[in-house]
Each structure stands twice: as structure tokens, then as C-alpha cells.
Amino acid sequence: MLRKAMLTVALVAAATQANAQGPIFGDFGMPAWSRMFKYFEARFGQVAKDEQVLVLPTATNAAWDNPIKTLRLTEMYKWGDWMPSQAWQYAPNSGKRVSEGYQFFLNHAWIAAVEANGTISNDLKTALKRANEELQFTRAEYAGVMDDAEKAYEDHVRNTPRPERLSKYAFFKKFAWDADIAAKKMRLGMASKKIGDITKQLTDPDIEMLSRAQQRFDNPKQKIILPPTPEVLNDKDRWQSYYISLIDKDIYDFLSERNPQAQSIQESSSRSEVFEQRWSASVSVSFLGLFRAGGGSAEQVKREQHIRTNTTKIDISFENIDTFNIVRGEWFDENVIARFAPKLKSEAWNSILGKNGQLELIPKSVLVGRGMSFAIYADSQSLDYLYEHFHASADAGFFVGWWRIGGGADYSSTKEQTEVYKYADRIVFRDLSGRGKVLGLLAKNYGASTPKPAFVNAILAAQPTAAIQADLKKFEQAWQKSDVLNKNRLDAAILQDVQTDILATNGSVQ
């Protein structure tokens, strides 16, 4: 009986030790990331199969609380139009914008809708295609001249002392950019009107819907002039035009309201099925660590490993946490995408909705938290290490998940904005900045729910492989050696002499 009791105690102790050693923070903290993803998914509500949660690598300020209205609008635009890359952590793709992808989509949706209509004549189909081609060309032409004019003015600003610098209006006037822009804008308006006039002859609701969507997209009132960076806020001549993208709800109400929420990360908390299936193998960033960059001494590395090994639980709480929806102008219509995405051709589907497509991920909402605190439960030595590190060397930075204190420009909170208390079983860090922090983003991925059209190679479907090979053989036989050399009396020896002369003159055959 005594032996049985001793065995039971040993098993309990072993289980306790295993829990303390923790699969929670092993393997870069993948189990902890999974549990955090679960919490984020719950905060975003019922996440659909074609929606995707992305966690920010560093919780950043929800900077649309700026007292300057223009900078608030600039920050909102970035969250709405900058398209994230396909990854487990949020990172905007510098080369992709939702507005550009949506324009690309409208063009291909129009082509598919016209070709699919079986009630209109071939002549009218041809007229519709030509009108759309003209619209795409004039739109690209207008955008191109605007870009060229902006670049020319930026060159003028860089190379001209301020007292001698022209305003943008005067610069465009002096070098006739204004006339060129006005002409291109008029051509775009005429092309847009032509499509509207042709579609009036039809009763096709799809083509009519796409025609209205094109007109709204080309409406200049759907754009807003904003500074590309805060540094040019006071130089309005350097502001640029962007499609309107806003964020709903009042950020100031959020900053003043209290709605406490908490999450515990421990062995018993549930994991995210989506994360386990899609992202677990991609985790390369530790969930818990002391050093942001450059590593540390052997003793510091040893201490960090000790903390990870002996941390048993992390409690995270917020004074307020909520989702903010991204709201775009009338230039963007998600109903148009939902209706016409299934009608795209295979090639267009790949380039728009497929991997690295023009509209692969569309930002939908952001998760914002305020007044965050996290309590780390561990052994006394780990708590001592953390407390000492915070007070003595927090400039090196440390982090818990996406929350980073100090250690460079990409921090969530500075040492001065952080309150710390050490208890017998835990150490508690609390953000005192008062700012809202963006924690994660929810994006729409239409490619996950829209069936990909089957790709049919028309040539292969038309005739068997043997017949194709026979045709190719006949075609190759028709490639007779040109007799132009004989006609010009240039044999191989003469050609060699010519090449030798060229080499002697230029050093290579041009």
C-alpha cells in the first residue's frame, strides 16, 4: 500500500515537473502561439473559412488617435489599402494595394461577363470589349502622367533651394504638366462615358453592375489628398492622391471606456485548429525572450533559457479590447467581388485570387487593445532574472508574444511607460502609455471559398498528342536554312573576318 502511495506521488511530481518544463514555451513557443491565436480568433467573432487572422509581430500604436486629422486619415488609409502578405504574422506587402488589385479585378470580371453573355450579338460584344480596352488604356495613361508629374516635382524639390522652389501648381503650369493631365483626364472621362452609353443598350444586370462599379472607381471624388509620410505634413505640395479607406467606431471612446478582458496561456487552455493546420510549422519567432537583436552573453542566454523552461503560465489582460472594421469608399464594392469572383477565367483567378494574387488578402478589421498587462508565473529565480533585466538592461529589450518593451524603434511600450511588480509566484508588467495597440488583423481570402475554374488547354482538347506532334514536325521541316548569306556572297570565312574586326574595335561582338 505504501509503495502504491509512493508511486502515485512520484507520478504526480513527474507530471507537475513536465508541466513546469512546459511544452507551452518550447519550439519557439509554438504551443503558446497556438493558444494566443485561439484567443484572437475568439475576439474577431466567428471567423469564416475564407477569413484569416494575422498577428502583428509587434503590437503597434493605433495611431488614428492622432490629434491632427490629416495624420489620422493617413493612418486609416494604410490599414485599409496596404495588402498583407500571406504569412502567420502581419506584414504589409510593399508592392500591393487593394485599390490596384480591385481595378485589375474589375477589368477581368468585365471580360468574363461579356463573353459569358449568350443573348447579345457578336458585334455588340466586340464593341463592349473595345470600349473596355479603351477605358483600361486611358486609365493607365492618366495614372502614368500623374506619376510622371509627381516624380518630376519631387526632383524639383530635391534639387531646388526652398526660396527658389515653385509650388506644385506653378511647376505644373510652367512645364505644361497641367495641360497634359487635363487632356488625359478628359480622355478617361470620355472612355468611361462610352461604356455607360453602350451598356444602356443592354438588359444584362451583370454588365450593368460592373459598368456602375467602373464609374464609381473612376470618380475623382473617391480619392483624398494625404501626406505620404508625416515628414511632409507641412508641405502640402508634396501630398499625394489615395483612394478613401477609413476605420469605423470612435477611437477616443475606446480610449476612455473600460471593458476588462483576460486570457490565460497555460497547458489546459485550448489551441487554435487553424494555426495547428496552417502555421505551426512556420513559427520562427520565440513567444518569450529577453533579447531583441544581437543576442547576449553566454550567461544572458542561459538565463533566458531558464525563464522559458520554468515559466508555467502567462496571464494577459486588457482594460479594453475591441475590433474596428475597415470601411472603404464607394470605389470598392465587396458585393461585386463576391458575385464575379466565381466567374473569372482560370488565368485571371490565379493572378487575382491565387497565391500572391492581386487581391489575395483584403484587410477587413483590426483588433485593438488598451492598458495591457501580463503576469508571468515561474520559479523565483526566473522572476529575479526578469525583474533584474527590466531595471538594469531593459534597453536590450524583452518580449512576450507580440508585446515588446524597449530594444529599439519597434517597441510596444518603453521602459518609462511600463509598471512592474514582483510577487512570490509571478511578475506583472503593465502598459501605462494609454494608447490603443493594434494586436492583429482579420483579412478576407476569397481564394479559399471561390472554386478555381478548371484550366482547359484548347489545343490539347482539339486533337490528340500524336496529331500535334505530326503538325509540329511539318512546321519544323518548313524552317529551311536561310540563303541570305549566299545571296549577299558572305561565306563563313568572310563572316569570321567581320567578327574579328568587330572584336578588335569594340572588344566584343555587338
Side-chain angles (χ1 to χ4, degrees), residues 301-375:
V301 172
K302 182 179 178 181
R303 287 187 173 195
E304 180 174 318
Q305 184 58 44
H306 179 90
I307 293 170
R308 290 184 192 174
T309 303
N310 289 277
T311 296
T312 58
K313 182 175 71 166
I314 291 180
D315 286 339
I316 300 175
S317 63
F318 302 89
E319 291 182 10
N320 198 2
I321 185 168
D322 200 359
T323 55
F324 290 72
N325 296 321
I326 292 167
V327 182
R328 299 177 180 88
E330 292 182 357
W331 62 269
F332 181 86
D333 190 341
E334 195 166 340
N335 291 329
V336 172
I337 300 178
R339 179 170 180 80
F340 293 101
K343 301 182 180 184
L344 294 173
K345 292 185 177 181
S346 179
E347 299 89 337
W349 191 100
N350 285 334
S351 60
I352 298 172
L353 304 180
K355 186 176 181 180
N356 298 320
Q358 296 295 317
L359 276 181
E360 184 181 15
L361 293 175
I362 303 174
K364 186 175 180 179
S365 58
V366 291
L367 180 65
V368 181
R370 176 180 63 83
M372 195 190 93
S373 68
F374 51 88

Side-chain angles (χ1 to χ4, degrees), residues 183-433:
K184 300 295 192 296
K185 185 177 181 181
M186 180 176 291
R187 289 188 61 184
L188 174 60
M190 292 173 63
S192 181
K193 183 178 182 299
K194 181 184 289 186
I195 280 198
D197 291 341
I198 296 176
T199 54
K200 287 178 182 178
Q201 306 175 35
L202 306 174
T203 57
D204 188 314
D206 282 352
I207 294 178
E208 184 179 352
M209 184 178 185
L210 285 169
S211 177
R212 290 200 304 268
Q214 292 268 22
Q215 290 172 357
R216 289 194 298 269
F217 185 83
D218 289 327
N219 182 357
K221 294 182 179 179
Q222 290 299 306
K223 289 188 173 184
I224 188 171
I225 306 298
L226 296 171
T229 63
E231 287 73 22
V232 298
L233 174 64
N234 296 322
D235 191 354
K236 201 166 184 178
D237 282 331
R238 301 176 69 183
W239 293 13
Q240 297 178 12
S241 179
Y242 301 100
Y243 280 94
I244 296 171
S245 187
L246 306 173
I247 296 177
D248 72 354
K249 299 183 182 178
D250 191 320
I251 187 67
Y252 299 107
D253 288 345
F254 171 82
L255 295 176
S256 62
E257 294 171 350
R258 276 185 53 80
N259 182 25
Q261 300 284 329
Q263 166 71 3
S264 182
I265 303 177
Q266 56 185 321
E267 184 63 29
S268 60
S269 54
S270 58
R271 298 191 183 193
S272 163
E273 293 182 8
V274 173
F275 179 85
E276 297 290 339
Q277 295 171 3
R278 182 180 297 176
W279 302 120
S280 60
S282 303
V283 173
S284 58
V285 180
S286 175
F287 191 88
L288 180 64
L290 295 183
F291 308 111
R292 304 291 304 282
S297 66
E299 176 61 24
Q300 289 172 325
V301 172
K302 182 179 178 181
R303 287 187 173 195
E304 180 174 318
Q305 184 58 44
H306 179 90
I307 293 170
R308 290 184 192 174
T309 303
N310 289 277
T311 296
T312 58
K313 182 175 71 166
I314 291 180
D315 286 339
I316 300 175
S317 63
F318 302 89
E319 291 182 10
N320 198 2
I321 185 168
D322 200 359
T323 55
F324 290 72
N325 296 321
I326 292 167
V327 182
R328 299 177 180 88
E330 292 182 357
W331 62 269
F332 181 86
D333 190 341
E334 195 166 340
N335 291 329
V336 172
I337 300 178
R339 179 170 180 80
F340 293 101
K343 301 182 180 184
L344 294 173
K345 292 185 177 181
S346 179
E347 299 89 337
W349 191 100
N350 285 334
S351 60
I352 298 172
L353 304 180
K355 186 176 181 180
N356 298 320
Q358 296 295 317
L359 276 181
E360 184 181 15
L361 293 175
I362 303 174
K364 186 175 180 179
S365 58
V366 291
L367 180 65
V368 181
R370 176 180 63 83
M372 195 190 93
S373 68
F374 51 88
I376 301 176
Y377 291 77
D379 66 325
S380 60
Q381 192 174 21
S382 296
L383 301 181
D384 289 341
Y385 285 159
L386 282 168
Y387 192 79
E388 177 187 340
H389 181 76
F390 176 79
H391 285 289
S393 56
D395 289 342
F398 70 94
F399 57 89
V400 177
W402 26 251
W403 194 269
R404 298 176 181 248
I405 297 178
D410 58 340
Y411 56 77
S412 303
S413 183
T414 64
K415 180 180 178 181
E416 292 74 21
Q417 295 171 332
T418 305
E419 180 182 70
V420 59
Y421 288 103
K422 188 177 71 166
Y423 300 91
D425 62 340
R426 66 193 185 280
I427 187 170
V428 180
F429 299 91
R430 181 169 174 262
D431 172 41
L432 301 178
S433 69

Side-chain angles (χ1 to χ4, degrees), residues 59-126:
T60 186
N61 287 331
W64 60 96
D65 65 349
N66 197 296
I68 301 175
K69 181 180 179 181
T70 301
L71 294 182
R72 293 203 300 269
L73 294 173
T74 300
E75 189 70 16
M76 291 182 185
Y77 159 76
K78 291 178 181 179
W79 287 107
D81 204 35
W82 289 12
M83 191 177 300
S85 299
Q86 181 69 265
W88 70 284
Q89 287 189 313
Y90 172 82
N93 190 318
S94 60
K96 290 185 180 178
R97 298 291 180 264
V98 172
S99 52
E100 295 174 358
Y102 184 67
Q103 174 187 331
F104 192 67
F105 169 82
L106 288 178
N107 179 37
H108 284 274
W110 174 273
I111 294 172
V114 170
E115 292 184 352
N117 189 302
T119 62
I120 60 178
S121 67
N122 289 333
D123 289 342
L124 191 51
K125 282 187 177 183
T126 300

Side-chain angles (χ1 to χ4, degrees), residues 432-453:
L432 301 178
S433 69
R435 303 287 298 275
K437 309 288 182 177
V438 182
L439 311 174
L441 178 137
L442 183 69
K444 188 80 170 180
N445 180 6
Y446 278 99
S449 60
T450 304
K452 181 179 178 181

